[in-house]
Amino acid sequence: DPTTDELVAQALENNTDLRAATARVLEARGLLGVATGNRLPEISIGAQRDRRQSTFDFGGGRGSAMTSTYSLTGMVSWQVDVFGRLKRAQQAALADLGATEADREAILHSVVAETVRLRSRIATTQQLLQLQRDDVVNWERTYKIVERRYNRGVASAVEWRLAKENLAASRALEPGTEYQLRAAQLALDVLCGRQPGTGEEPARTLSDLPPLEAPPVSVPVALLDRRPDLRASELRAASATFDVGVALADLYPDLTISASGGRQASRLNQLSDPTSVVWSLVMDASWRVFAGGALRANVEAAEARAEAAAADYAGAVLRALQEVEDALVLETTARQRYDDVQTRVTEALAAEELATQRYERGVDPLITVLETQRRRRAAQRDMISTRQDVWDARINLILALGGDWQRTQPDDEATALAPKE
């Protein structure tokens, strides 16, 4: 459907939630870069000029002297990851990045699904509004017939007032449906990232859309791995597991090796003298032997978070299975109901036409015409709403299957996080 394609493209380009999710992915990439950089040596270069005045005693007096020192040094510092703390932190950051990317994909699928849902809902409401306006025209015709018969003394005052009341009731339905249509259009504007009320009303092409193909009879459990929310939950569980490794490594010593070298002289032109060379090599080992139980408590907290993340992932899998089954059942029942409602509409239209003809010939009372018209209107509204139920069920099914389930899954590095060492 060209209209739907255009709306989806606008939503994917301008939706504010999707933009925020993209920014969070960039943030996660930056944090991964920080964690990766912490595993590498740090190199710094510095130049310094130190000028100071000092005092000293000599003989029975006191004197002062001004000295200057010029230095040009380079320094290399490397924290040796003996117990894997930095490595686990990097793996946790990589898992967090994968989870954030999956979150963005889940939002993308939700934006597409909601755009299609609003598109079909607007078209459905447009058809319902047109049906109500046609009903007003039909009631006006019926009222004129009853009024003529009432003026000739053939119809009773009760029939005349019933026809007038039904006409007013039919007109009263339009404002509520117009509000529903307007509200859906405003929601679509916000979803597409534009000011509410500035978008054009979509074309009424729902009835021209091709029929939906039959849904799959059964869904393999492996297919649910395609769902981005499940991938995000799995990766967060992996990140929490790596955080346990970080907490455990804090129980052991840290080892840092630093080396510096350069030149130092009292005059700037002496920096090139070979005798001005200075250097140092430092190996620093530190171990927090006692911290009031905070380190062990941090490990226990990390383990609890990992267990909670694993339970969240298991629950997400069960809910995903339920969503797929619910969508399949809903679509199957909605399709069956739609077929029955179509038959109902056909018979209601025929009954209304026959009742109207018999009333005009004076065979049946007006109450029979009113009842057939009421049933026909209810059947047509039911058919429109049931068709919307079929579309909603299909949208829910595609969303439950992780979006376009014909798409091949990208094999990115964020999904392969198990350490190989």
Side-chain angles (χ1 to χ4, degrees):
D1 175 48
T3 302
T4 305
D5 290 341
E6 181 180 356
L7 291 173
V8 169
Q10 293 176 5
L12 293 181
E13 182 178 358
N14 303 317
N15 184 262
T16 54
D17 292 338
L18 199 54
R19 288 183 177 181
T22 302
R24 286 190 287 270
V25 170
L26 296 177
E27 178 189 10
R29 288 179 181 174
L31 294 176
L32 175 60
V34 172
T36 302
N38 289 336
R39 298 189 64 186
L40 302 176
E42 180 179 337
I43 302 175
S44 60
I45 299 175
Q48 183 179 10
R49 182 202 179 204
D50 183 10
R51 183 172 177 81
R52 65 182 63 188
Q53 180 176 336
S54 59
T55 60
F56 56 90
D57 295 330
F58 64 97
R62 188 172 182 82
S64 62
M66 185 75 67
T67 59
S68 297
T69 303
Y70 297 87
S71 60
L72 179 64
T73 59
M75 182 175 180
V76 178
S77 178
W78 179 41
Q79 184 174 356
V80 184
D81 194 19
V82 179
F83 298 100
R85 182 175 65 85
L86 299 179
K87 175 185 176 183
R88 294 293 181 259
Q90 181 187 22
Q91 291 173 320
L94 181 60
D96 289 337
L97 172 59
T100 307
E101 291 175 339
D103 286 339
R104 181 188 180 278
E105 185 179 351
I107 293 176
L108 185 147
H109 289 320
S110 297
V111 168
V112 173
E114 189 61 23
T115 302
V116 177
R117 196 188 310 276
L118 285 173
R119 161 76 178 105
S120 61
R121 195 174 301 278
I122 287 173
T124 298
T125 309
Q126 289 171 334
Q127 293 180 354
L128 183 59
L129 181 60
Q130 186 60 47
L131 175 64
Q132 292 173 350
R133 289 171 177 171
D134 294 340
D135 283 340
V136 171
V137 175
N138 292 335
W139 275 115
E140 288 175 347
R141 184 172 62 250
T142 302
Y143 172 71
K144 291 178 181 179
I145 294 174
V146 175
E147 187 178 37
R148 287 197 301 268
R149 292 172 61 86
Y150 172 70
N151 292 333
R152 295 198 304 265
V154 178
S156 66
V158 174
E159 292 178 332
W160 176 67
R161 291 190 178 276
L162 278 175
K164 192 173 183 179
E165 185 273 337
N166 278 279
L167 175 59
S170 181
R171 287 173 175 169
L173 294 175
E174 289 189 34
T177 306
E178 289 175 347
Y179 167 75
Q180 294 176 3
L181 177 60
R182 186 59 176 165
Q185 291 171 344
L186 294 176
L188 183 61
D189 288 339
V190 173
L191 193 64
C192 293
R194 59 191 180 217
Q195 182 178 348
T198 59
E200 299 180 357
E201 182 176 338
R204 306 181 185 185
T205 58
L206 182 63
S207 59
D208 298 331
L209 293 178
L212 297 175
E213 296 179 358
V217 178
S218 61
V219 181
V221 176
L223 190 60
L224 296 179
D225 291 338
R226 300 181 49 76
R227 284 183 51 143
D229 58 333
L230 293 185
R231 295 202 306 274
S233 182
E234 180 184 7
L235 290 169
R236 286 194 170 90
S239 176
T241 302
F242 293 137
D243 286 338
V244 174
V246 174
L248 286 172
D250 285 337
L251 298 174
Y252 301 98
D254 289 333
L255 177 63
T256 302
I257 299 176
S258 301
S260 63
R263 295 176 179 271
Q264 184 175 344
S266 59
R267 294 182 181 180
L268 186 61
N269 58 5
Q270 294 177 345
L271 288 177
S272 59
D273 194 326
T275 61
S276 65
V277 174
V278 295
W279 62 271
S280 67
L281 178 63
V282 179
M283 182 177 295
D284 179 21
S286 61
W287 188 5
R288 288 188 293 176
V289 179
F290 178 75
L295 298 179
R296 179 58 63 180
N298 189 35
V299 173
E300 295 174 354
E303 291 175 343
R305 287 193 296 269
E307 292 179 4
D312 288 340
Y313 174 62
V317 171
L318 293 177
R319 287 189 295 272
L321 289 169
Q322 179 186 4
E323 290 172 2
V324 173
E325 295 297 332
D326 285 346
L328 286 170
V329 172
L330 178 59
E331 181 169 334
T332 301
T333 55
R335 284 175 177 273
Q336 294 173 351
R337 186 164 176 259
Y338 184 70
D339 293 338
D340 295 334
V341 171
Q342 284 182 308
T343 303
R344 177 187 173 190
V345 170
T346 302
E347 298 301 327
L349 287 171
E352 179 186 9
E353 182 179 0
L354 182 59
T356 302
Q357 294 174 357
R358 290 172 64 85
Y359 174 73
E360 292 175 350
R361 296 197 303 266
V363 178
D364 287 338
L366 178 63
I367 192 67
T368 302
V369 177
L370 299 180
E371 177 64 14
T372 57
Q373 290 179 340
R374 183 190 67 80
R375 287 179 173 274
R376 186 264 306 164
R377 291 196 307 273
Q380 289 178 327
R381 287 196 297 268
D382 198 11
M383 183 177 68
I384 293 176
S385 63
T386 304
R387 181 167 50 193
Q388 180 64 48
D389 291 341
V390 173
W391 279 100
D392 285 342
R394 175 52 63 94
I395 293 171
N396 293 338
L397 177 60
I398 295 177
L399 195 58
L401 295 175
D404 182 6
W405 50 274
Q406 302 268 356
R407 179 177 56 87
T408 56
Q409 175 67 28
D411 184 17
D412 55 66
E413 61 177 355
T415 60
L417 297 172
K420 297 183 175 20
E421 299 181 13

